[in-house]
Amino acid sequence: MSKELSLKVKNAIEESMRLKKLILEEELYIVLIEMGKLIIQSIQKGGKVLVCGNGGSAADAQHIVAEFLIRLTSDVNREGIPAISLLQDSSTFTATINDFNPNELFKRNLQTLSKPEDILLAISTSGNSENIVKVLETAKKIKIKTIGFLGSEGGKSLKHCDLAFVVPSNRTARIQEVHITAGHAVIEYVEARLIEKGFLSLK
């Protein structure tokens, strides 16, 4: 194996570290605290977190939902926080793209499953995925608060988000790495505040 190829692993890690350092230096993470506050308001009103994304971002959405519902760490063994992925199951997914349009996937599920107290977290590395733009537009129409984990410069989704965490990169893998770190950070903030307020119990 050439030295150039073997450096790819090291370079990927260094690039990820530089990007996260930049987010700290420019205080781009501050918006995550504001997102946490919106989520707390939603949960206290009886709402839930609705999360969606495509591809790797779909996996991140399900990852984040699992940690809201179950727990992030065994150090904080608390009650579940209501959350659901708008991707749903393979039957719902294939029915939507067969009977309607792939761009309607998240929009239709949002319309069916949401209530006004809920909050939508849309994840897109480009910010331009049509089904993400549509679900954000729909959420605004039915007056559901919207937050976005985006990349590049936010794309078309940015203007439809009440709050957006935009990762300053065009590299999909690096953006996704920051998104999942941001998701973990928000969950830690939300659970700590809800426990502090006596809204969540420890087990």
Side-chain angles (χ1 to χ4, degrees):
M1 183 183 295
S2 70
K3 185 176 180 181
E4 182 181 347
L5 284 176
S6 64
L7 282 174
K8 281 187 175 292
V9 172
K10 180 184 178 185
N11 291 342
I13 294 170
E14 288 179 339
E15 187 178 40
S16 186
M17 290 171 63
R18 283 195 298 271
L19 184 55
K20 290 174 182 176
K21 185 178 179 183
L22 176 65
I23 287 165
L24 288 174
E25 290 172 347
E26 297 192 1
E27 298 189 337
L28 301 179
Y29 68 90
I30 297 295
V31 72
L32 298 175
I33 298 169
E34 298 307 311
M35 288 180 174
K37 290 176 181 177
L38 281 185
I39 291 171
I40 289 165
Q41 290 171 11
S42 170
I43 299 302
Q44 289 184 307
K45 292 176 182 175
K48 60 187 175 293
V49 187
L50 302 156
V51 195
C52 60
N54 295 288
S57 296
D60 286 345
Q62 291 176 328
H63 181 159
I64 289 167
V65 165
E67 288 168 339
F68 270 122
L69 286 172
I70 310 305
R71 64 185 186 187
L72 185 62
T73 169
S74 59
D75 294 335
V76 184
N77 191 20
R78 41 84 174 163
E79 294 177 300
I81 298 170
I84 190 169
S85 167
L86 290 180
L87 182 60
Q88 293 297 301
D89 53 77
S90 58
S91 297
T92 305
F93 172 76
T94 52
T96 304
I97 62 175
N98 183 64
D99 297 350
F100 295 95
N101 184 298
N103 293 334
E104 302 291 318
L105 173 63
F106 302 132
K107 172 185 173 181
R108 186 164 179 86
N109 288 344
L110 177 81
Q111 290 172 321
T112 306
L113 296 170
S114 67
K115 55 184 181 180
E117 297 82 10
D118 294 340
I119 186 164
L120 172 68
L121 167 57
I123 308 174
S124 174
T125 57
S126 69
N128 290 319
S129 301
E130 285 301 318
N131 54 14
I132 293 293
V133 175
K134 279 186 177 293
V135 76
L136 285 165
E137 289 174 338
T138 302
K140 299 296 281 186
K141 287 176 184 175
I142 59 180
K143 301 190 185 307
I144 288 175
K145 291 288 185 182
T146 57
I147 57 180
F149 282 4
L150 310 173
S152 304
E153 295 180 354
K156 298 174 185 175
S157 296
L158 184 60
K159 66 180 180 181
H160 302 298
C161 294
D162 291 307
L163 291 172
F165 174 63
V166 183
V167 179
S169 173
N170 294 311
R171 295 282 297 260
T172 299
R174 303 293 86 85
I175 297 168
Q176 289 173 337
E177 289 156 9
V178 176
H179 280 172
I180 202 61
T181 300
H184 287 164
V186 169
I187 293 169
E188 285 192 45
Y189 177 81
V190 168
E191 69 179 9
R193 290 289 288 135
L194 288 174
I195 290 167
E196 182 181 73
K197 288 170 176 281
F199 193 85
L200 274 186
S201 298
L202 293 173
K203 295 186 177 181

